[in-house]
Amino acid sequence: MALSDISVARKIKDFLEFDTHFNEIQDVDILLEEILTHARTVMQADAGSIYVTENDALAIYHAQNETLKAKLPRGEKLIYRYFVIPINLTTISGYCAATGQITSVPDVYTIPDSVPYTFNKDYDQKSGYRSRSMIAVPLIANGKDILGVLQLINKMDRRGHIIPFNRSDLLLMKHYAIHVSTALHRAQATRAVLLRMMAMAEMRDPKETFNHVNRVAAYATELFERWALEHKMSRRSIQRTKDTLRMAAMLHDVGKVAISDLILKKPSQFSEKEREIMKEHTILGARLFSDANSDLDIAARNVALTHHENWDGSGYPGHVDPDSGRAIYISRDGMPLGKRGEEIPLFGRIVSICDVFDALRSNRVYKKSWDSSRANEELQRLSGNKFDPELIELFFKIEQNIIRLEERYSDPA
């Protein structure tokens, strides 16, 4: 058997081994990142990006670049600008989505005039990177619906030289795309179910918007990943946990569906009595997951119940049984004893920070949005009493990631 045949056979084996793994991932964003990482690894591509179809355009969801990443300090992630590409014939990815065809370019700087698309050199010029070989692969569901485009850049040979993608690569990627498109279509259906649940909350509470829950979940995932790297978790464990956390974080305020409209839609700050009623959304949300039979159920229950606990024990609802509402431990004033420190589950401590930060950065009927500098100062002020100080320190280290996610999930003007 020729060396090239062995290489192709190994790639096929690698793709098949990950097929089950992809179908285990439930969250869209985590799945997209895994698809890109795995495809780059198997195809020996130095860089790549993955786009999702949104409103007749392609929106970037993840970008990776090993050469540029190697220049970053340990634990830092590559920061990329959020942007959209029109689905038309003028760009490589747009052409791929518009035609539904795999598009391979040996050198993006020598694209012939006979094809309609061109390569935008802006990214290379700003980053100092040199893109050369490129392949764009359409992700198609039901044989016709373009879910997005997977783009791989700069295939590397064993000596680290950039080479073009070959015919075998195109055939492999065609079959790979079929499998991952099925997993992506399923994950998007799961996300749609979650967003319908959020739609109920949004109809009840005008503050609980799709973009708010998406931002909180995205921030929480980034913060957890940085924490996990600091604590030397394995990559596989990080990815599996991120998948669960992101969906659980989206459900952090789902208990508000059981709170009266008179309170939720009040166009001013709450009275003390109303505030106490609002606090019940933590218990009511946790109660929705009483019959927990999956990691997501357990995580969603913990997040809903504990995302308003404080590091110093002054938060709520404290040590209570959410199913009965009865206190497990009583403080001196007869109220449930608040959870403190690491008694609060990690997910609850993470979502607490992200929820407050987004609230500070958002407009409310009783306040204007704070700029990021002022919001960060408030997080720092509350470190050690309301928030886990280690997590606050890590949150500031991922500030550029947070800015990028704010842009992606920004509220309509």
Side-chain angles (χ1 to χ4, degrees):
M1 181 180 288
L3 180 61
S4 60
D5 294 331
I6 295 173
S7 178
V8 170
R10 185 175 294 125
K11 287 177 181 177
I12 292 173
K13 180 175 179 290
D14 288 340
F15 279 146
L16 291 175
E17 285 178 347
F18 262 75
D19 195 33
T20 301
H21 172 60
F22 287 142
N23 282 292
E24 291 173 348
I25 299 173
Q26 300 178 73
D27 181 74
V28 172
D29 289 80
I30 306 302
L31 177 61
L32 289 167
E33 186 176 18
E34 280 288 272
I35 289 171
L36 176 58
T37 300
H38 184 238
R40 275 200 319 101
T41 302
V42 175
M43 301 304 293
Q44 294 103 43
D46 184 53
S49 50
I50 193 162
Y51 303 86
V52 171
T53 303
E54 291 183 357
N55 302 320
D56 298 322
L58 295 173
I60 190 168
Y61 265 64
H62 293 284
Q64 299 172 358
N65 188 306
E66 288 302 310
T67 295
L68 297 180
K69 182 181 177 183
K71 300 176 181 179
L72 299 174
R74 180 185 175 277
E76 295 290 332
K77 293 182 71 174
L78 183 68
I79 303 300
Y80 60 91
R81 183 177 58 84
Y82 174 74
F83 61 90
V84 296
I85 297 172
I87 296 179
N88 57 34
L89 306 182
T90 62
T91 64
I92 297 170
S93 293
Y95 178 89
C96 172
T99 63
Q101 298 176 3
I102 294 180
T103 307
S104 181
V105 182
D107 188 339
V108 294
Y109 280 78
T110 60
I111 295 175
D113 294 336
S114 58
V115 297
Y117 50 79
T118 59
F119 174 69
N120 185 340
K121 302 180 180 69
D122 285 352
Y123 176 79
D124 280 7
Q125 291 170 351
K126 291 176 181 177
S127 65
Y129 189 70
R130 175 59 160 83
S131 301
R132 189 167 297 163
S133 60
M134 185 179 294
I135 183 173
V137 185
L139 303 176
I140 304 174
N142 304 319
K144 57 181 176 28
D145 299 326
I146 302 294
L147 303 179
V149 170
L150 171 62
Q151 181 177 273
L152 303 179
I153 303 168
N154 286 357
K155 179 182 177 180
M156 313 292 284
D157 66 13
R158 292 183 177 181
R159 293 173 296 176
H161 297 153
I162 300 171
I163 58 175
F165 293 92
N166 58 38
R167 181 173 174 78
S168 294
D169 295 331
L170 269 64
L171 291 173
L172 281 170
M173 290 306 299
K174 181 178 180 180
H175 289 286
Y176 179 72
I178 292 172
H179 288 282
V180 298
S181 295
T182 301
L184 178 57
H185 190 58
R186 174 195 48 76
Q188 287 180 331
T190 301
R191 172 67 64 85
V193 171
L194 286 178
L195 290 178
R196 278 195 287 272
M197 292 179 70
M198 294 304 97
M200 290 189 294
E202 185 176 2
M203 285 187 288
R204 304 294 317 290
D205 181 3
K207 299 185 296 296
E208 197 69 9
T209 65
F210 287 165
N211 286 328
H212 168 68
V213 296
N214 271 321
R215 286 192 299 267
V216 170
Y219 301 163
T221 305
E222 289 288 330
L223 181 53
F224 165 75
E225 183 171 10
R226 185 59 188 256
W227 178 91
L229 289 171
E230 294 287 335
H231 288 258
K232 296 181 170 54
M233 282 182 66
S234 70
R235 181 182 177 279
R236 189 67 181 268
S237 295
I238 290 173
Q239 292 303 102
R240 185 168 55 247
T241 308
K242 280 169 59 178
D243 183 42
T244 302
L245 171 58
R246 200 178 197 291
M247 291 186 294
M250 291 181 71
L251 297 165
H252 68 279
D253 273 342
V254 70
K256 288 183 179 179
V257 297
I259 302 296
S260 167
D261 280 352
L262 295 176
I263 296 175
L264 282 178
K265 297 183 178 180
K266 183 180 178 181
S268 59
Q269 295 196 53
F270 299 136
S271 67
E272 188 59 36
K273 182 178 180 180
E274 290 166 339
R275 191 172 291 109
E276 290 302 312
I277 294 173
M278 269 297 297
K279 289 181 180 180
E280 295 177 6
H281 80 274
T282 54
I283 295 173
L284 297 170
R287 200 171 290 168
L288 291 173
F289 303 97
S290 293
D291 298 322
N293 55 22
S294 69
D295 289 343
L296 174 58
D297 288 342
I298 295 169
R301 182 176 171 89
N302 281 334
V303 168
L305 184 65
T306 65
H307 71 282
H308 283 292
E309 298 288 357
N310 292 340
W311 183 253
D312 64 3
S314 63
Y316 66 89
H319 288 277
V320 299
D321 174 9
D323 296 325
S324 66
R326 290 195 295 269
I328 297 173
Y329 300 111
I330 305 294
S331 64
R332 291 179 179 178
D333 60 5
M335 300 298 291
L337 189 67
K339 294 178 181 176
R340 64 172 59 238
E342 293 187 0
E343 290 179 340
I344 308 165
L346 175 64
F347 285 5
R349 304 195 315 262
I350 287 174
V351 172
S352 173
I353 293 169
C354 300
D355 189 29
V356 170
F357 177 80
D358 193 65
L360 295 175
R361 294 280 291 131
S362 302
N363 286 316
R364 292 288 187 262
V365 292
Y366 52 85
K367 77 167 187 67
K368 295 291 185 181
S369 65
W370 293 14
D371 61 38
S372 58
S373 178
R374 185 183 178 193
N376 286 344
E377 287 175 3
E378 182 68 1
L379 295 188
Q380 185 64 66
R381 186 182 71 82
L382 296 172
S383 177
N385 45 66
K386 183 172 180 61
F387 300 128
D388 178 341
E390 179 192 7
L391 290 175
I392 289 294
E393 183 179 343
L394 295 176
F395 187 85
F396 294 147
K397 289 182 178 180
I398 61 169
E399 183 176 6
Q400 293 303 311
N401 307 58
I402 298 300
I403 292 171
R404 172 178 57 81
L405 292 167
E406 262 191 322
E407 292 174 353
R408 178 191 293 179
Y409 299 113
S410 60
D411 291 320

PDB file of all heavy atoms in Angstrom, residues 1-16 42-44 155 158 166-173 175:
ATOM      1  N   MET A   1       0.852  -1.204   0.000  1.00  0.00           N
ATOM      2  CA  MET A   1       0.000   0.000   0.000  1.00  0.00           C
ATOM      3  C   MET A   1       0.885   1.250   0.000  1.00  0.00           C
ATOM      4  O   MET A   1       1.834   1.340   0.765  1.00  0.00           O
ATOM      5  CB  MET A   1      -0.906   0.011   1.231  1.00  0.00           C
ATOM      6  CG  MET A   1      -1.850   1.214   1.297  1.00  0.00           C
ATOM      7  SD  MET A   1      -2.892   1.186   2.779  1.00  0.00           S
ATOM      8  CE  MET A   1      -4.016  -0.146   2.384  1.00  0.00           C
ATOM      9  N   ALA A   2       0.556   2.210  -0.847  1.00  0.00           N
ATOM     10  CA  ALA A   2       1.341   3.432  -0.948  1.00  0.00           C
ATOM     11  C   ALA A   2       1.182   4.285   0.305  1.00  0.00           C
ATOM     12  O   ALA A   2       0.175   4.195   1.014  1.00  0.00           O
ATOM     13  CB  ALA A   2       0.916   4.230  -2.179  1.00  0.00           C
ATOM     14  N   LEU A   3       2.212   5.101   0.551  1.00  0.00           N
ATOM     15  CA  LEU A   3       2.174   5.978   1.726  1.00  0.00           C
ATOM     16  C   LEU A   3       0.948   6.871   1.707  1.00  0.00           C
ATOM     17  O   LEU A   3       0.291   7.080   2.742  1.00  0.00           O
ATOM     18  CB  LEU A   3       3.446   6.830   1.775  1.00  0.00           C
ATOM     19  CG  LEU A   3       3.566   7.809   2.956  1.00  0.00           C
ATOM     20  CD1 LEU A   3       3.559   7.050   4.271  1.00  0.00           C
ATOM     21  CD2 LEU A   3       4.829   8.646   2.833  1.00  0.00           C
ATOM     22  N   SER A   4       0.580   7.426   0.526  1.00  0.00           N
ATOM     23  CA  SER A   4      -0.583   8.295   0.428  1.00  0.00           C
ATOM     24  C   SER A   4      -1.861   7.548   0.768  1.00  0.00           C
ATOM     25  O   SER A   4      -2.776   8.100   1.370  1.00  0.00           O
ATOM     26  CB  SER A   4      -0.679   8.886  -0.984  1.00  0.00           C
ATOM     27  OG  SER A   4      -0.804   7.851  -1.948  1.00  0.00           O
ATOM     28  N   ASP A   5      -1.919   6.237   0.401  1.00  0.00           N
ATOM     29  CA  ASP A   5      -3.104   5.439   0.719  1.00  0.00           C
ATOM     30  C   ASP A   5      -3.232   5.233   2.225  1.00  0.00           C
ATOM     31  O   ASP A   5      -4.322   5.262   2.792  1.00  0.00           O
ATOM     32  CB  ASP A   5      -3.024   4.068   0.027  1.00  0.00           C
ATOM     33  CG  ASP A   5      -3.098   4.184  -1.492  1.00  0.00           C
ATOM     34  OD1 ASP A   5      -3.736   5.143  -1.971  1.00  0.00           O
ATOM     35  OD2 ASP A   5      -2.523   3.330  -2.184  1.00  0.00           O
ATOM     36  N   ILE A   6      -2.072   5.000   2.887  1.00  0.00           N
ATOM     37  CA  ILE A   6      -2.083   4.842   4.341  1.00  0.00           C
ATOM     38  C   ILE A   6      -2.561   6.127   5.004  1.00  0.00           C
ATOM     39  O   ILE A   6      -3.361   6.116   5.939  1.00  0.00           O
ATOM     40  CB  ILE A   6      -0.663   4.480   4.843  1.00  0.00           C
ATOM     41  CG1 ILE A   6      -0.246   3.116   4.297  1.00  0.00           C
ATOM     42  CG2 ILE A   6      -0.621   4.483   6.363  1.00  0.00           C
ATOM     43  CD1 ILE A   6       1.191   2.752   4.605  1.00  0.00           C
ATOM     44  N   SER A   7      -2.084   7.262   4.498  1.00  0.00           N
ATOM     45  CA  SER A   7      -2.470   8.553   5.060  1.00  0.00           C
ATOM     46  C   SER A   7      -3.964   8.780   4.932  1.00  0.00           C
ATOM     47  O   SER A   7      -4.620   9.223   5.885  1.00  0.00           O
ATOM     48  CB  SER A   7      -1.697   9.676   4.345  1.00  0.00           C
ATOM     49  OG  SER A   7      -2.077  10.924   4.838  1.00  0.00           O
ATOM     50  N   VAL A   8      -4.532   8.478   3.760  1.00  0.00           N
ATOM     51  CA  VAL A   8      -5.967   8.650   3.553  1.00  0.00           C
ATOM     52  C   VAL A   8      -6.753   7.722   4.466  1.00  0.00           C
ATOM     53  O   VAL A   8      -7.750   8.114   5.087  1.00  0.00           O
ATOM     54  CB  VAL A   8      -6.329   8.389   2.074  1.00  0.00           C
ATOM     55  CG1 VAL A   8      -7.845   8.328   1.903  1.00  0.00           C
ATOM     56  CG2 VAL A   8      -5.748   9.470   1.179  1.00  0.00           C
ATOM     57  N   ALA A   9      -6.294   6.462   4.578  1.00  0.00           N
ATOM     58  CA  ALA A   9      -6.993   5.497   5.428  1.00  0.00           C
ATOM     59  C   ALA A   9      -6.996   5.951   6.881  1.00  0.00           C
ATOM     60  O   ALA A   9      -7.990   5.808   7.600  1.00  0.00           O
ATOM     61  CB  ALA A   9      -6.326   4.127   5.306  1.00  0.00           C
ATOM     62  N   ARG A  10      -5.872   6.522   7.312  1.00  0.00           N
ATOM     63  CA  ARG A  10      -5.786   7.004   8.693  1.00  0.00           C
ATOM     64  C   ARG A  10      -6.744   8.173   8.924  1.00  0.00           C
ATOM     65  O   ARG A  10      -7.376   8.278   9.978  1.00  0.00           O
ATOM     66  CB  ARG A  10      -4.342   7.420   9.000  1.00  0.00           C
ATOM     67  CG  ARG A  10      -4.134   7.827  10.459  1.00  0.00           C
ATOM     68  CD  ARG A  10      -2.667   8.111  10.736  1.00  0.00           C
ATOM     69  NE  ARG A  10      -1.872   6.902  10.621  1.00  0.00           N
ATOM     70  CZ  ARG A  10      -0.800   6.776   9.829  1.00  0.00           C
ATOM     71  NH1 ARG A  10      -0.407   7.782   9.084  1.00  0.00           N
ATOM     72  NH2 ARG A  10      -0.128   5.653   9.787  1.00  0.00           N
ATOM     73  N   LYS A  11      -6.848   9.051   7.930  1.00  0.00           N
ATOM     74  CA  LYS A  11      -7.759  10.190   8.055  1.00  0.00           C
ATOM     75  C   LYS A  11      -9.208   9.718   8.126  1.00  0.00           C
ATOM     76  O   LYS A  11     -10.002  10.240   8.917  1.00  0.00           O
ATOM     77  CB  LYS A  11      -7.572  11.143   6.869  1.00  0.00           C
ATOM     78  CG  LYS A  11      -6.283  11.945   6.916  1.00  0.00           C
ATOM     79  CD  LYS A  11      -6.126  12.822   5.679  1.00  0.00           C
ATOM     80  CE  LYS A  11      -4.823  13.605   5.729  1.00  0.00           C
ATOM     81  NZ  LYS A  11      -4.614  14.411   4.511  1.00  0.00           N
ATOM     82  N   ILE A  12      -9.543   8.740   7.306  1.00  0.00           N
ATOM     83  CA  ILE A  12     -10.906   8.188   7.341  1.00  0.00           C
ATOM     84  C   ILE A  12     -11.199   7.617   8.727  1.00  0.00           C
ATOM     85  O   ILE A  12     -12.271   7.833   9.303  1.00  0.00           O
ATOM     86  CB  ILE A  12     -11.081   7.103   6.257  1.00  0.00           C
ATOM     87  CG1 ILE A  12     -11.020   7.739   4.858  1.00  0.00           C
ATOM     88  CG2 ILE A  12     -12.405   6.373   6.436  1.00  0.00           C
ATOM     89  CD1 ILE A  12     -11.004   6.729   3.735  1.00  0.00           C
ATOM     90  N   LYS A  13     -10.235   6.871   9.274  1.00  0.00           N
ATOM     91  CA  LYS A  13     -10.391   6.284  10.608  1.00  0.00           C
ATOM     92  C   LYS A  13     -10.578   7.373  11.657  1.00  0.00           C
ATOM     93  O   LYS A  13     -11.452   7.272  12.528  1.00  0.00           O
ATOM     94  CB  LYS A  13      -9.171   5.433  10.938  1.00  0.00           C
ATOM     95  CG  LYS A  13      -9.223   4.755  12.310  1.00  0.00           C
ATOM     96  CD  LYS A  13      -8.017   3.831  12.478  1.00  0.00           C
ATOM     97  CE  LYS A  13      -8.037   3.161  13.841  1.00  0.00           C
ATOM     98  NZ  LYS A  13      -7.762   4.115  14.923  1.00  0.00           N
ATOM     99  N   ASP A  14      -9.778   8.423  11.564  1.00  0.00           N
ATOM    100  CA  ASP A  14      -9.894   9.527  12.526  1.00  0.00           C
ATOM    101  C   ASP A  14     -11.259  10.200  12.447  1.00  0.00           C
ATOM    102  O   ASP A  14     -11.864  10.545  13.466  1.00  0.00           O
ATOM    103  CB  ASP A  14      -8.792  10.568  12.268  1.00  0.00           C
ATOM    104  CG  ASP A  14      -7.419  10.077  12.683  1.00  0.00           C
ATOM    105  OD1 ASP A  14      -7.356   9.135  13.489  1.00  0.00           O
ATOM    106  OD2 ASP A  14      -6.419  10.627  12.180  1.00  0.00           O
ATOM    107  N   PHE A  15     -11.760  10.414  11.246  1.00  0.00           N
ATOM    108  CA  PHE A  15     -13.067  11.040  11.079  1.00  0.00           C
ATOM    109  C   PHE A  15     -14.167  10.155  11.655  1.00  0.00           C
ATOM    110  O   PHE A  15     -15.069  10.627  12.359  1.00  0.00           O
ATOM    111  CB  PHE A  15     -13.349  11.308   9.596  1.00  0.00           C
ATOM    112  CG  PHE A  15     -12.690  12.564   9.062  1.00  0.00           C
ATOM    113  CD1 PHE A  15     -12.242  12.622   7.754  1.00  0.00           C
ATOM    114  CD2 PHE A  15     -12.518  13.676   9.859  1.00  0.00           C
ATOM    115  CE1 PHE A  15     -11.642  13.773   7.245  1.00  0.00           C
ATOM    116  CE2 PHE A  15     -11.915  14.834   9.373  1.00  0.00           C
ATOM    117  CZ  PHE A  15     -11.477  14.878   8.064  1.00  0.00           C
ATOM    118  N   LEU A  16     -14.101   8.852  11.382  1.00  0.00           N
ATOM    119  CA  LEU A  16     -15.142   7.937  11.848  1.00  0.00           C
ATOM    120  C   LEU A  16     -15.148   7.828  13.370  1.00  0.00           C
ATOM    121  O   LEU A  16     -16.205   7.733  13.988  1.00  0.00           O
ATOM    122  CB  LEU A  16     -14.945   6.552  11.222  1.00  0.00           C
ATOM    123  CG  LEU A  16     -15.213   6.454   9.715  1.00  0.00           C
ATOM    124  CD1 LEU A  16     -14.870   5.058   9.209  1.00  0.00           C
ATOM    125  CD2 LEU A  16     -16.673   6.790   9.400  1.00  0.00           C
ATOM    126  N   VAL A  42      -7.033  16.693  11.586  1.00  0.00           N
ATOM    127  CA  VAL A  42      -6.965  15.554  10.673  1.00  0.00           C
ATOM    128  C   VAL A  42      -6.391  15.956   9.313  1.00  0.00           C
ATOM    129  O   VAL A  42      -5.603  15.231   8.709  1.00  0.00           O
ATOM    130  CB  VAL A  42      -8.349  14.907  10.506  1.00  0.00           C
ATOM    131  CG1 VAL A  42      -8.306  13.804   9.460  1.00  0.00           C
ATOM    132  CG2 VAL A  42      -8.837  14.343  11.839  1.00  0.00           C
ATOM    133  N   MET A  43      -6.762  17.137   8.830  1.00  0.00           N
ATOM    134  CA  MET A  43      -6.320  17.584   7.500  1.00  0.00           C
ATOM    135  C   MET A  43      -4.998  18.337   7.550  1.00  0.00           C
ATOM    136  O   MET A  43      -4.528  18.841   6.538  1.00  0.00           O
ATOM    137  CB  MET A  43      -7.393  18.479   6.875  1.00  0.00           C
ATOM    138  CG  MET A  43      -8.748  17.815   6.710  1.00  0.00           C
ATOM    139  SD  MET A  43      -8.687  16.284   5.754  1.00  0.00           S
ATOM    140  CE  MET A  43      -8.239  16.911   4.146  1.00  0.00           C
ATOM    141  N   GLN A  44      -4.369  18.419   8.721  1.00  0.00           N
ATOM    142  CA  GLN A  44      -3.089  19.118   8.908  1.00  0.00           C
ATOM    143  C   GLN A  44      -3.149  20.572   8.419  1.00  0.00           C
ATOM    144  O   GLN A  44      -2.225  21.067   7.750  1.00  0.00           O
ATOM    145  CB  GLN A  44      -1.943  18.394   8.194  1.00  0.00           C
ATOM    146  CG  GLN A  44      -1.622  17.028   8.759  1.00  0.00           C
ATOM    147  CD  GLN A  44      -2.157  15.909   7.891  1.00  0.00           C
ATOM    148  OE1 GLN A  44      -2.062  15.944   6.679  1.00  0.00           O
ATOM    149  NE2 GLN A  44      -2.723  14.903   8.521  1.00  0.00           N
ATOM    150  N   LYS A 155      -2.674  23.925   4.427  1.00  0.00           N
ATOM    151  CA  LYS A 155      -2.338  22.535   4.718  1.00  0.00           C
ATOM    152  C   LYS A 155      -0.820  22.413   4.838  1.00  0.00           C
ATOM    153  O   LYS A 155      -0.066  22.979   4.034  1.00  0.00           O
ATOM    154  CB  LYS A 155      -2.851  21.629   3.603  1.00  0.00           C
ATOM    155  CG  LYS A 155      -2.517  20.162   3.811  1.00  0.00           C
ATOM    156  CD  LYS A 155      -3.005  19.299   2.666  1.00  0.00           C
ATOM    157  CE  LYS A 155      -2.578  17.857   2.876  1.00  0.00           C
ATOM    158  NZ  LYS A 155      -3.047  16.975   1.779  1.00  0.00           N
ATOM    159  N   ARG A 158       4.804  17.202   6.283  1.00  0.00           N
ATOM    160  CA  ARG A 158       5.524  16.744   7.480  1.00  0.00           C
ATOM    161  C   ARG A 158       6.695  17.643   7.847  1.00  0.00           C
ATOM    162  O   ARG A 158       7.177  17.641   8.981  1.00  0.00           O
ATOM    163  CB  ARG A 158       6.017  15.311   7.265  1.00  0.00           C
ATOM    164  CG  ARG A 158       4.878  14.306   7.186  1.00  0.00           C
ATOM    165  CD  ARG A 158       5.401  12.905   7.045  1.00  0.00           C
ATOM    166  NE  ARG A 158       4.326  11.927   7.035  1.00  0.00           N
ATOM    167  CZ  ARG A 158       4.515  10.611   6.943  1.00  0.00           C
ATOM    168  NH1 ARG A 158       5.740  10.135   6.832  1.00  0.00           N
ATOM    169  NH2 ARG A 158       3.488   9.793   6.940  1.00  0.00           N
ATOM    170  N   ASN A 166      -5.394  18.343  -1.810  1.00  0.00           N
ATOM    171  CA  ASN A 166      -5.463  17.524  -3.016  1.00  0.00           C
ATOM    172  C   ASN A 166      -6.853  16.921  -3.215  1.00  0.00           C
ATOM    173  O   ASN A 166      -7.771  17.166  -2.421  1.00  0.00           O
ATOM    174  CB  ASN A 166      -4.388  16.430  -2.988  1.00  0.00           C
ATOM    175  CG  ASN A 166      -4.526  15.528  -1.760  1.00  0.00           C
ATOM    176  OD1 ASN A 166      -5.634  15.197  -1.330  1.00  0.00           O
ATOM    177  ND2 ASN A 166      -3.399  15.139  -1.197  1.00  0.00           N
ATOM    178  N   ARG A 167      -6.989  16.141  -4.264  1.00  0.00           N
ATOM    179  CA  ARG A 167      -8.283  15.558  -4.611  1.00  0.00           C
ATOM    180  C   ARG A 167      -8.817  14.645  -3.505  1.00  0.00           C
ATOM    181  O   ARG A 167     -10.001  14.656  -3.199  1.00  0.00           O
ATOM    182  CB  ARG A 167      -8.162  14.780  -5.919  1.00  0.00           C
ATOM    183  CG  ARG A 167      -9.468  14.145  -6.375  1.00  0.00           C
ATOM    184  CD  ARG A 167      -9.348  13.519  -7.750  1.00  0.00           C
ATOM    185  NE  ARG A 167     -10.547  12.807  -8.109  1.00  0.00           N
ATOM    186  CZ  ARG A 167     -11.676  13.381  -8.538  1.00  0.00           C
ATOM    187  NH1 ARG A 167     -11.731  14.694  -8.655  1.00  0.00           N
ATOM    188  NH2 ARG A 167     -12.729  12.663  -8.848  1.00  0.00           N
ATOM    189  N   SER A 168      -7.901  13.872  -2.872  1.00  0.00           N
ATOM    190  CA  SER A 168      -8.339  12.995  -1.777  1.00  0.00           C
ATOM    191  C   SER A 168      -8.890  13.808  -0.610  1.00  0.00           C
ATOM    192  O   SER A 168      -9.873  13.412   0.039  1.00  0.00           O
ATOM    193  CB  SER A 168      -7.158  12.136  -1.293  1.00  0.00           C
ATOM    194  OG  SER A 168      -6.745  11.239  -2.283  1.00  0.00           O
ATOM    195  N   ASP A 169      -8.274  14.955  -0.341  1.00  0.00           N
ATOM    196  CA  ASP A 169      -8.756  15.834   0.723  1.00  0.00           C
ATOM    197  C   ASP A 169     -10.184  16.304   0.446  1.00  0.00           C
ATOM    198  O   ASP A 169     -11.030  16.352   1.343  1.00  0.00           O
ATOM    199  CB  ASP A 169      -7.846  17.058   0.859  1.00  0.00           C
ATOM    200  CG  ASP A 169      -6.443  16.702   1.312  1.00  0.00           C
ATOM    201  OD1 ASP A 169      -6.289  15.696   2.022  1.00  0.00           O
ATOM    202  OD2 ASP A 169      -5.507  17.438   0.951  1.00  0.00           O
ATOM    203  N   LEU A 170     -10.443  16.658  -0.801  1.00  0.00           N
ATOM    204  CA  LEU A 170     -11.780  17.129  -1.177  1.00  0.00           C
ATOM    205  C   LEU A 170     -12.820  16.040  -0.975  1.00  0.00           C
ATOM    206  O   LEU A 170     -13.918  16.294  -0.453  1.00  0.00           O
ATOM    207  CB  LEU A 170     -11.788  17.604  -2.634  1.00  0.00           C
ATOM    208  CG  LEU A 170     -11.478  19.101  -2.868  1.00  0.00           C
ATOM    209  CD1 LEU A 170     -10.055  19.431  -2.434  1.00  0.00           C
ATOM    210  CD2 LEU A 170     -11.678  19.469  -4.326  1.00  0.00           C
ATOM    211  N   LEU A 171     -12.479  14.809  -1.370  1.00  0.00           N
ATOM    212  CA  LEU A 171     -13.424  13.697  -1.205  1.00  0.00           C
ATOM    213  C   LEU A 171     -13.667  13.399   0.272  1.00  0.00           C
ATOM    214  O   LEU A 171     -14.805  13.163   0.697  1.00  0.00           O
ATOM    215  CB  LEU A 171     -12.878  12.455  -1.913  1.00  0.00           C
ATOM    216  CG  LEU A 171     -12.848  12.520  -3.444  1.00  0.00           C
ATOM    217  CD1 LEU A 171     -12.130  11.294  -4.019  1.00  0.00           C
ATOM    218  CD2 LEU A 171     -14.269  12.610  -4.008  1.00  0.00           C
ATOM    219  N   LEU A 172     -12.589  13.422   1.060  1.00  0.00           N
ATOM    220  CA  LEU A 172     -12.731  13.185   2.496  1.00  0.00           C
ATOM    221  C   LEU A 172     -13.598  14.256   3.152  1.00  0.00           C
ATOM    222  O   LEU A 172     -14.488  13.952   3.964  1.00  0.00           O
ATOM    223  CB  LEU A 172     -11.356  13.156   3.160  1.00  0.00           C
ATOM    224  CG  LEU A 172     -10.554  11.865   3.028  1.00  0.00           C
ATOM    225  CD1 LEU A 172      -9.136  12.091   3.523  1.00  0.00           C
ATOM    226  CD2 LEU A 172     -11.205  10.738   3.810  1.00  0.00           C
ATOM    227  N   MET A 173     -13.349  15.513   2.804  1.00  0.00           N
ATOM    228  CA  MET A 173     -14.101  16.597   3.404  1.00  0.00           C
ATOM    229  C   MET A 173     -15.566  16.570   2.983  1.00  0.00           C
ATOM    230  O   MET A 173     -16.452  16.973   3.747  1.00  0.00           O
ATOM    231  CB  MET A 173     -13.473  17.940   3.049  1.00  0.00           C
ATOM    232  CG  MET A 173     -12.124  18.197   3.722  1.00  0.00           C
ATOM    233  SD  MET A 173     -12.183  18.013   5.522  1.00  0.00           S
ATOM    234  CE  MET A 173     -13.378  19.259   5.956  1.00  0.00           C
ATOM    235  N   HIS A 175     -17.393  13.863   2.532  1.00  0.00           N
ATOM    236  CA  HIS A 175     -18.055  12.877   3.390  1.00  0.00           C
ATOM    237  C   HIS A 175     -18.089  13.353   4.847  1.00  0.00           C
ATOM    238  O   HIS A 175     -19.071  13.140   5.563  1.00  0.00           O
ATOM    239  CB  HIS A 175     -17.346  11.523   3.276  1.00  0.00           C
ATOM    240  CG  HIS A 175     -17.560  10.847   1.968  1.00  0.00           C
ATOM    241  ND1 HIS A 175     -18.759  10.249   1.621  1.00  0.00           N
ATOM    242  CD2 HIS A 175     -16.755  10.685   0.895  1.00  0.00           C
ATOM    243  CE1 HIS A 175     -18.676   9.747   0.410  1.00  0.00           C
ATOM    244  NE2 HIS A 175     -17.468   9.990  -0.067  1.00  0.00           N
TER     245      HIS A 175
END
